[in-house]
Amino acid sequence: MKKSLVVALLSAPLMALAGPINLLSNGSFEATPQAAGSWSRQDSLPGWLVGSNQAELRNDVVGKASNGVNFLELDVDRNSQISQTVATVLGQWYELSFDYSNRAGVAVASNGLGWGVAGVSSLAPVLSYNGSADNQWSHYSYRFQATGSSSTVSFWAQGTNDSLGTSLDNVALSAVPEPQSWALFGLALAIAVAFSRRRRS
């Protein structure tokens, strides 16, 4: 019984820090079935509020997804946007991350992606011309401190309104572990190692 209790106590912090939990729903846009080699215009996406100009959901069309099979493009006939609001804790640090790629064979000026979270907005770093026949994914992340009990994540197409724009995929928002949590993790790991060595001896 004592051994089980020790293992449970040691495992709890390890499990808590095993990996970040994505607070966003449908971050890789997989909740809507899309046949391979096809695309569709979407007025709505599970978890996301879609702008009036819709969004293009793609599966292996002018590139492959970075995570799963679906990815999004926000320049339909004109530039559009998506957003999602999630519960956050005032003062807690979070990390927003996403993958994006210039559309293959399309001028840099036609591409471009804006993002925003918790009242902060910016543009994703400009990518060079994509001369391949596939998406060339880049990963971007941004850490911020929540200013309220909820935070809104948003993305919008930034390039020319010409129906040819940047691809978006693998969007995640997760809490950043506090220093105390990392200290607890280190302590638990040290105890686990010591306990293991003692059992062997």
Side-chain angles (χ1 to χ4, degrees), residues 10 15 33 43 58 93-94 107 109 114 121 123 138 141 145 148 150 163 169 174 176 180 193 198:
L10 293 176
M15 291 175 63
D43 293 306
R58 297 176 173 271
W93 283 90
Y94 294 86
S121 61
L123 303 180
S138 291
S141 63
Q145 195 170 22
S150 65
S163 76
D169 199 6
S174 57
V176 177
Q180 301 95 311
V193 170
R198 186 172 181 180

Side-chain angles (χ1 to χ4, degrees), residues 108-181:
V108 171
S110 290
N111 290 278
L113 183 71
W115 61 269
V117 63
V120 175
S121 61
S122 187
L123 303 180
V126 175
L127 301 176
S128 58
Y129 176 76
N130 180 2
S132 74
D134 197 358
N135 284 319
Q136 299 292 308
W137 295 105
S138 291
H139 186 73
Y140 183 81
S141 63
Y142 171 76
R143 288 192 174 187
F144 68 96
Q145 195 170 22
T147 56
S149 59
S150 65
S151 298
T152 298
V153 174
S154 56
F155 294 94
W156 58 91
Q158 186 65 30
T160 307
N161 286 291
D162 57 5
S163 76
L164 305 171
T166 299
S167 301
L168 173 67
D169 199 6
N170 197 28
V171 184
L173 178 67
S174 57
V176 177
E178 298 177 1
Q180 301 95 311
S181 298

Side-chain angles (χ1 to χ4, degrees), residues 26-200:
N26 194 24
S28 289
F29 313 111
E30 302 294 319
T32 302
Q34 185 68 43
S38 71
W39 67 278
S40 61
R41 298 169 65 134
Q42 298 289 327
D43 293 306
S44 63
L45 292 166
W48 296 94
L49 180 65
V50 178
S52 59
N53 294 332
Q54 303 179 307
E56 289 185 9
L57 186 67
R58 297 176 173 271
N59 180 336
D60 199 14
V61 174
V62 197
K64 290 180 168 45
S66 71
N67 185 50
V69 295
N70 293 343
F71 64 95
L72 213 61
E73 183 182 315
L74 295 176
D75 187 348
V76 188
D77 293 329
R78 293 176 295 164
N79 288 341
S80 188
Q81 66 278 333
I82 59 171
S83 63
Q84 184 173 153
T85 300
V86 299
T88 51
V89 177
L90 177 65
Q92 168 70 48
W93 283 90
Y94 294 86
E95 182 173 88
L96 170 68
S97 64
F98 56 90
D99 296 340
Y100 70 113
S101 170
N102 280 353
R103 181 163 171 161
V106 173
V108 171
S110 290
N111 290 278
L113 183 71
W115 61 269
V117 63
V120 175
S121 61
S122 187
L123 303 180
V126 175
L127 301 176
S128 58
Y129 176 76
N130 180 2
S132 74
D134 197 358
N135 284 319
Q136 299 292 308
W137 295 105
S138 291
H139 186 73
Y140 183 81
S141 63
Y142 171 76
R143 288 192 174 187
F144 68 96
Q145 195 170 22
T147 56
S149 59
S150 65
S151 298
T152 298
V153 174
S154 56
F155 294 94
W156 58 91
Q158 186 65 30
T160 307
N161 286 291
D162 57 5
S163 76
L164 305 171
T166 299
S167 301
L168 173 67
D169 199 6
N170 197 28
V171 184
L173 178 67
S174 57
V176 177
E178 298 177 1
Q180 301 95 311
S181 298
W182 287 113
L184 182 60
F185 171 77
L187 177 62
L189 186 61
I191 294 174
V193 170
F195 183 73
S196 176
R197 287 177 177 172
R198 186 172 181 180
R199 281 191 66 185
R200 288 176 186 172

